[in-house]
Amino acid sequence: MPLILICTGLARRLNLGRFLKRIQMIDHIRGLLISALARNGFTYNDSIQVERPKQESFGHYTTNLALALAKTLRQPPLEIAQKIIKALPETELIERAEVKAPGFINFFLCPKVLQKAVTEVLSIGADYGRLNVGKNQRVQVEFVSANPTGPLTVGHGRQAVLGDTLARILEWVGYQVDREYYYNDAGRQMRILGHSVYWRYRQLLGWTGEFPEDHYQGEYIVEIARKVMQEHGDALQEDPENKVFRIVAEEAIFEDIKNTLKRLDIVFDYFYNEKSLYENGQVNDVLTRLKAIGASYEKDGAIWFRAGQYGGSDDRVLWKSVVDEATYRLPDIAYHVTKFERGYDLVIDIFGADHHATYPDVLAGLQALGYDTARVRTLIHQFVTLIRSGEKVKMSTRKATYITLDELIDDVGRDVARYFFLMRGMKSHLNFDLDLAKTESEENPVFYLQYAHARICSILRNAALKKLNYERDCDLTLLKEEETLSLLNTIMEFREIIVICLSTLEPQHLTTYLQKIATTFHKFYTIHRVISDDQELTRARLALVKAVQIVLANGLTLLGITAPQRM
RNA sequence: GCCCCGAUAGCUCAAGUGGAUAGAGCAUCUGCCUUCUAAGCAGGUGGUUGCAGGUUCGAGUCCUGCUCGGGGUACCA
């Protein structure tokens, strides 16, 4: 299965282990373990797993190394773990290590290490959590890519927010990212769009015939028709094929789409249109090249692609015989060729589940042409099911039975909309209950996060009024209660979460993490007073909450959500 | 028919490459504001992870078969 090979190739390209080297502490513990293995004469060839345990009672980090070794060493894992733990080199960073059944080794960091996180966050500030793994490599993220036949719907919203957030994360870790929107302005859909405008235009001029059922029914078509009428009067009455209809529609709709995206704080670098691929001869060029290497053949008057030989399943038609035009595959392949020609190191395509069948053919085409398809990463997200009054809303652009993204933003605002789209994994179907989103917008999880940020800002304002200086020379060793250490630990985890987001390309891990740090902070806040009579303790705690505020703000910025000063 | 995704608490969903006692929010019940923001905190109720097998020290996660839901499977995009 070549597709699987491609996937593993990608996994290697986005290798987690490589990124984890950026996490000092994990690397440090791994180093300790390697020495301990050597002292025991054990050999272990895989990379050693050092991860965060589910529960804090199991320490700050844990490894299953002894369990993994049990089989080859033919010894009980608990004994192996004991031997490893005894052979661990001395270190000032680890307070203690313990063995727990069935053979885990858990590491507890020294408070000093946790406390140092505050110093680091405060000195790095708005850049805390950045990693330089991208090294200015160029990445293209293609998303939305909806044809301009109508306003963006809630369904598009998921993809828009997902793509933009991934782009933000990639930029954050040092990639040079381009956001690209691909659209098809040459196909059948756009012809129907033009005709839809034409018939509405006729109606405005007094025509009383029936508007075609299979044309775009939306009210926006009438507005566009009105615009055509203002510009051209009745001159085009007998000219349904006049391209004016299509062009005016396309411009007006794109204007709308861009505005909607802007409201979500999404701005594209490039809009790439299919038509140009024909005009520049790139479609033809791909056809010629495929023919030249014998990857295509003629049958029944059509031109077929030997997809089966390049990782696809069945052979596919590239050029139709019944009509003299290409199938969508050919320009899609040509389009992806331009991505390579434009020199991207990594290409991320985001599609809805309805397109999942098209990309294997595109990849097969690229492979046939000799491109390194491991550079292309395809993300498929499942659909959004909209629930209104307890019932599913079946959406169709054609029938204009949709909820527009604009309407959603009107109702819940940018922050809630973005957060809702991001809080679920892209592989799961997203049930978006409109009524719930509206009526409960006060009880929304996003407010919980923002509230934590606002609360801290409030504390810092109070501190400023009292002219309390905490930025330097405060005694961080005073930060030692259970809830405090837990908060410090969570701050440290931020970088690791970025790594996980990168390796999985799923921003959802970040939303989960931000919930966690907000919870940890709220708990701390309830138990411990920041500003008190104890000056030294006050200064230390101010530094701590400032660090939390920075992490929250950085995380929210990555999600494209505002971090309010007060609520 | 075949392919892809899903099925986890009453509801919406988590659980990075197989790890420890499967976690949150909403809903519901009980407490907590003379104190930096109660949009908060603490606790209770709630589970055979769709069903049946298998792989192994160990499965929500991997494999096989089935059930249900979504999306594909065109010389539509």
Side-chain angles (χ1 to χ4, degrees):
Chain A
M1 290 285 277
L3 199 60
I4 289 171
L5 287 177
I6 289 165
C7 289
T8 53
L10 287 163
R12 228 173 290 125
R13 187 165 293 270
L14 291 166
N15 188 301
L16 186 54
R18 199 187 80 215
F19 291 150
L20 283 176
K21 289 242 166 78
R22 309 280 161 165
I23 308 302
Q24 280 181 1
M25 195 49 61
I26 290 176
D27 209 33
H28 178 72
I29 291 172
R30 192 173 281 132
L32 299 177
L33 290 167
I34 288 169
S35 320
L37 285 175
R39 289 181 187 182
N40 277 291
F42 298 156
T43 53
Y44 185 70
N45 293 325
D46 292 334
S47 85
I48 298 170
Q49 286 182 29
V50 176
E51 52 191 12
R52 290 279 182 174
K54 276 183 188 167
Q55 293 176 54
E56 237 177 21
S57 63
F58 292 141
H60 298 109
Y61 293 96
T62 187
T63 181
N64 65 349
L65 181 59
L67 290 160
L69 276 167
K71 196 163 208 175
T72 50
L73 292 181
R74 294 169 163 273
Q75 292 177 37
L78 280 173
E79 278 178 29
I80 298 171
Q82 292 294 355
K83 286 176 186 167
I84 290 173
I85 225 172
K86 273 177 197 151
L88 285 173
E90 286 292 316
T91 169
E92 289 183 353
L93 307 183
I94 310 290
E95 189 176 62
R96 65 192 171 91
E98 64 174 20
V99 174
K100 271 279 169 76
F104 293 100
I105 301 170
N106 299 332
F107 295 89
F108 294 79
L109 300 178
C110 288
K112 213 180 290 177
V113 174
L114 297 166
Q115 289 150 356
K116 209 184 130 207
V118 171
T119 317
E120 203 184 346
V121 177
L122 293 189
S123 67
I124 301 175
D127 287 327
Y128 179 75
R130 278 187 188 271
L131 305 165
N132 188 24
V133 296
K135 293 178 180 153
N136 285 319
Q137 284 196 78
R138 295 181 61 226
V139 182
Q140 185 209 56
V141 184
E142 184 212 326
F143 60 111
V144 185
S145 295
N147 286 340
T149 57
L152 293 181
T153 65
V154 170
H156 296 119
R158 184 177 204 184
Q159 186 169 133
V161 171
L162 190 58
D164 181 63
T165 305
L166 280 171
R168 285 169 192 251
I169 292 171
L170 289 163
E171 281 167 343
W172 178 255
V173 299
Y175 286 97
Q176 202 181 312
V177 181
D178 286 334
R179 292 166 176 78
E180 183 153 307
Y181 186 125
Y182 176 70
Y183 65 102
N184 168 349
D185 54 357
R188 189 168 146 269
Q189 282 184 54
M190 295 305 288
R191 279 203 298 274
I192 294 176
L193 177 71
H195 290 162
S196 303
V197 176
Y198 171 74
W199 293 116
R200 288 301 185 201
Y201 165 78
R202 287 292 301 270
Q203 284 180 332
L204 289 173
L205 291 168
W207 177 69
T208 55
E210 190 89 358
F211 185 83
E213 199 183 324
D214 61 347
H215 282 40
Y216 294 100
Q217 307 285 327
E219 186 63 24
Y220 61 95
I221 298 288
V222 180
E223 281 171 39
I224 294 164
R226 196 166 286 133
K227 206 169 171 184
V228 173
M229 194 174 73
Q230 279 162 7
E231 285 171 22
H232 298 273
D234 60 2
L236 306 174
Q237 267 199 88
E238 302 302 327
D239 195 3
E241 300 304 324
N242 196 305
K243 62 184 179 187
V244 163
F245 296 111
R246 212 205 63 221
I247 289 170
V248 173
E250 185 181 319
E251 278 174 6
I253 293 169
F254 249 130
E255 190 68 25
D256 254 22
I257 289 176
K258 285 179 191 172
N259 280 334
T260 306
L261 291 169
K262 192 117 195 235
R263 293 182 71 195
L264 288 172
D265 203 15
I266 299 173
V267 178
F268 279 89
D269 298 292
Y270 300 106
F271 286 81
Y272 203 103
N273 66 327
E274 182 189 15
K275 210 179 188 179
S276 66
L277 295 166
Y278 287 95
E279 290 168 353
N280 301 339
Q282 280 150 315
V283 169
N284 241 321
D285 186 46
V286 166
L287 202 56
T288 312
R289 285 167 69 188
L290 287 172
K291 206 177 288 179
I293 57 173
S296 68
Y297 59 92
E298 281 194 41
K299 193 177 88 181
D300 306 328
I303 300 174
W304 294 70
F305 169 47
R306 296 185 199 278
Q309 283 186 13
Y310 298 98
S313 44
D314 300 319
D315 289 359
R316 305 289 189 188
V317 170
L318 291 173
W319 199 274
K320 305 172 191 176
S321 62
V322 290
V323 196
D324 188 32
E325 63 180 26
T327 64
Y328 63 87
R329 287 183 196 91
L330 186 55
D332 273 5
I333 295 170
Y335 171 51
H336 278 77
V337 167
T338 73
K339 298 192 185 199
F340 281 96
E341 284 173 350
R342 286 183 277 165
Y344 289 110
D345 298 292
L346 180 64
V347 167
I348 295 176
D349 290 341
I350 306 182
F351 299 136
D354 56 338
H355 279 66
H356 88 264
T358 72
Y359 77 91
D361 292 335
V362 173
L363 290 180
L366 290 171
Q367 201 167 317
L369 293 170
Y371 295 103
D372 176 16
T373 49
R375 292 189 178 194
V376 182
R377 176 104 182 216
T378 308
L379 304 179
I380 310 283
H381 67 88
Q382 298 300 309
F383 282 177
V384 178
T385 306
L386 211 49
I387 312 280
R388 185 164 52 181
S389 312
E391 281 180 26
K392 287 185 184 177
V393 183
K394 196 74 186 165
M395 297 207 281
S396 154
T397 305
R398 189 78 58 80
K399 293 179 189 158
T401 54
Y402 48 77
I403 308 291
T404 67
L405 191 47
D406 261 327
E407 287 166 334
L408 179 73
I409 303 167
D410 288 342
D411 285 341
V412 302
R414 190 239 286 188
D415 290 340
V416 171
R418 282 194 71 119
Y419 192 84
F420 263 61
F421 285 130
L422 291 171
M423 66 196 278
R424 307 301 182 208
M426 70 179 95
K427 277 184 297 185
S428 73
H429 300 105
L430 177 59
N431 273 329
F432 206 119
D433 190 323
L434 262 183
D435 305 308
L436 209 70
K438 286 182 211 173
T439 59
E440 294 206 331
S441 61
E442 292 290 308
E443 300 263 324
N444 231 291
V446 65
F447 290 103
Y448 181 80
L449 285 186
Q450 293 180 314
Y451 185 56
H453 184 268
R455 260 185 160 175
I456 295 172
C457 290
S458 177
I459 296 172
L460 295 175
R461 276 194 301 272
N462 288 330
L465 287 176
K466 296 184 178 178
K467 302 212 162 35
L468 290 165
N469 181 0
Y470 55 88
E471 296 279 353
R472 61 177 78 152
D473 299 334
C474 65
D475 182 6
L476 294 173
T477 60
L478 298 172
L479 301 173
K480 60 190 177 193
E481 304 86 0
E482 188 187 336
E483 300 78 17
T484 310
L485 293 173
S486 181
L487 193 49
L488 289 166
N489 185 34
T490 310
I491 290 171
M492 279 185 72
E493 207 179 338
F494 183 53
R495 280 202 181 115
E496 294 162 37
I497 297 301
I498 299 294
V499 168
I500 289 172
C501 286
L502 259 186
S503 68
T504 58
L505 295 179
E506 289 185 10
Q508 181 217 352
H509 295 289
L510 187 51
T511 63
T512 310
Y513 167 77
L514 290 176
Q515 284 294 327
K516 180 180 171 186
I517 193 170
T519 300
T520 316
F521 166 73
H522 284 309
K523 279 181 187 170
F524 163 84
Y525 177 93
T526 309
I527 297 172
H528 303 291
R529 231 191 123 70
V530 176
I531 300 174
S532 66
D533 294 337
D534 186 335
Q535 276 220 12
E536 280 307 303
L537 186 58
T538 297
R539 277 150 44 88
R541 285 184 177 164
L542 281 171
L544 168 68
V545 298
K546 176 67 185 173
V548 175
Q549 186 243 317
I550 288 169
V551 171
L552 276 169
N554 292 359
L556 286 169
T557 302
L558 275 172
L559 299 180
I561 294 171
T562 54
Q565 301 287 316
R566 49 183 99 222
M567 284 173 75

